[in-house]
Amino acid sequence: MKCINKIAGLLIAMLLLASCGSVPLTGRKQVLLVSDSEVLSASLTQYDNYIKKSQKSTDKSKTAMVERVGKKIAAATEEYLKQNGLSSEVANFKWEFNLIKSNDVNAFCMPGGKIVVYEGLLPLVSSDDELAVVLGHEVAHAVAKHSNERMSQEMLAQYGATVVDAALSNKSAVVHTIGNTVFGLGAQLGVMLPYSRKHELEADYMGLVFMTMAGYNPDKAVLFWQKMSAATGNTNMPDFMSTHPNDNKRIMEIQRYLPEMEKYKKK
């Protein structure tokens, strides 16, 4: 039995090593067990179903604002990827920026650059710069492949280290099953939530860089998150009860990042 466990452990170690990638800008190592094409296929199905059931905003001015800021950040992000030897990554993105009729104070991103903003968020946004904080953050989730990483973590947690290799032999079915969990509503306490908070803080940093490269003012991030905190009451929520870091921690981290943004500003 010990020998079998050692062999299984070795196999999974080799699998994880072969599946290791790194996040642009931060360089953080990540395990990506699923190919980009499989993630995009699974997520696009979920996204299409969501869009069909949702009502797009009829506010032409606000819709244009979301599209304008989103496309500008996406263009700056793609330029960064091309200039840093990551041109192959650009092909993964087919950017969409939709404003959805809903009072929810939220936004989300699907792999491939499918980004949704809810109308309920816009009363907290008084300028293109503040909207860029939101959209830069969501673009960062796509670029960092956080959904792939979450799917990989869920796969390991659900199937276990000793059988994940066998599970991957029928990866297409597994990916769609896991995708329904990762792209669906809700999350579990424990292993997955702390990882999600790590993703959120990483997206905050990367989002600041991308919005700055696009010509927006990163200093507005502090004001936006202060308004978001007041609106949602997330300031004192314990980290272990949330997929997101509490806003006080988030604002402190953003303030720490801001001096670095000077080097990314357009000259």
Side-chain angles (χ1 to χ4, degrees), residues 40-51:
L40 292 173
S41 175
S43 66
L44 187 59
T45 299
Q46 298 288 327
Y47 176 77
D48 286 344
N49 289 338
Y50 169 82
I51 290 296

Side-chain angles (χ1 to χ4, degrees), residues 74-90:
T77 301
E78 289 192 357
E79 184 63 27
Y80 166 82
L81 293 173
K82 291 174 182 177
Q83 290 180 357
N84 287 272
L86 297 170
S87 295
S88 60
E89 296 294 323
V90 174

Side-chain angles (χ1 to χ4, degrees), residues 24 30 34 36 39 95 101 125 176 183 190 199:
Q30 57 184 172
V34 188
D36 290 335
V39 172
W95 300 102
K101 196 173 185 63
V125 173
H176 281 273
F183 303 135
H199 288 171

Side-chain angles (χ1 to χ4, degrees), residues 153-212:
Q153 290 290 320
E154 184 73 16
M155 192 176 290
L156 287 170
Q158 182 168 327
Y159 289 94
T162 58
V163 296
V164 70
D165 190 48
L168 289 178
S169 66
N170 188 26
K171 196 161 52 172
S172 181
V174 171
V175 166
H176 281 273
T177 299
I178 296 295
N180 288 334
T181 300
V182 172
F183 303 135
L185 298 175
Q188 300 172 351
L189 290 174
V191 175
M192 300 306 291
L193 294 192
Y195 222 87
S196 181
R197 290 193 292 272
K198 181 183 289 186
H199 288 171
E200 290 300 318
L201 292 174
E202 186 168 60
D204 283 346
Y205 169 75
M206 294 175 66
L208 285 177
V209 173
F210 293 147
M211 69 174 288
T212 303

Side-chain angles (χ1 to χ4, degrees), residues 9-257:
L10 180 59
L11 286 173
I12 196 64
M14 292 173 65
L15 175 65
L16 295 181
L17 183 62
S19 305
C20 187
S22 60
V23 179
L25 278 174
T26 70
R28 180 178 63 82
K29 299 298 181 182
Q30 57 184 172
V31 174
L32 304 174
L33 298 176
V34 188
S35 70
D36 290 335
S37 61
E38 287 171 311
V39 172
L40 292 173
S41 175
S43 66
L44 187 59
T45 299
Q46 298 288 327
Y47 176 77
D48 286 344
N49 289 338
Y50 169 82
I51 290 296
K52 288 176 183 176
K53 295 177 182 178
S54 301
Q55 183 180 354
K56 291 186 178 181
S57 175
T58 56
D59 188 323
K60 293 183 179 180
S61 176
K62 295 297 185 183
T63 297
M65 180 184 187
V66 169
E67 292 177 348
R68 177 178 66 248
V69 175
K71 289 178 179 179
K72 192 172 179 180
I73 292 174
T77 301
E78 289 192 357
E79 184 63 27
Y80 166 82
L81 293 173
K82 291 174 182 177
Q83 290 180 357
N84 287 272
L86 297 170
S87 295
S88 60
E89 296 294 323
V90 174
N92 290 326
F93 301 113
K94 298 290 185 285
W95 300 102
E96 281 187 29
F97 299 91
N98 285 306
L99 181 62
I100 296 298
K101 196 173 185 63
S102 168
N103 291 326
D104 289 345
V105 184
N106 210 347
F108 69 82
C109 172
M110 299 288 275
K114 309 302 186 185
I115 293 172
V116 166
V117 177
Y118 293 125
E119 283 185 334
L121 183 70
L122 293 188
L124 303 180
V125 173
S126 58
S127 67
D128 281 16
D129 289 310
E130 290 182 18
L131 180 59
V133 176
V134 177
L135 295 182
H137 176 96
E138 300 304 335
V139 165
H141 277 310
V143 173
K145 300 184 180 181
H146 286 158
S147 291
N148 190 328
E149 196 170 1
R150 284 294 303 273
M151 291 179 75
S152 300
Q153 290 290 320
E154 184 73 16
M155 192 176 290
L156 287 170
Q158 182 168 327
Y159 289 94
T162 58
V163 296
V164 70
D165 190 48
L168 289 178
S169 66
N170 188 26
K171 196 161 52 172
S172 181
V174 171
V175 166
H176 281 273
T177 299
I178 296 295
N180 288 334
T181 300
V182 172
F183 303 135
L185 298 175
Q188 300 172 351
L189 290 174
V191 175
M192 300 306 291
L193 294 192
Y195 222 87
S196 181
R197 290 193 292 272
K198 181 183 289 186
H199 288 171
E200 290 300 318
L201 292 174
E202 186 168 60
D204 283 346
Y205 169 75
M206 294 175 66
L208 285 177
V209 173
F210 293 147
M211 69 174 288
T212 303
M213 288 177 174
Y216 295 109
N217 181 4
D219 293 340
K220 295 297 183 179
V222 172
L223 175 60
F224 170 78
W225 283 111
Q226 286 172 338
K227 291 194 292 187
M228 177 68 96
S229 176
T232 62
N234 187 32
T235 304
N236 298 311
M237 183 180 293
D239 276 355
F240 69 86
M241 289 297 292
S242 174
T243 57
H244 291 60
N246 73 58
D247 291 333
N248 281 338
K249 180 176 181 180
R250 168 171 257 152
I251 290 168
M252 287 177 61
E253 288 296 298
I254 287 172
Q255 289 173 325
R256 185 169 66 86
Y257 302 148

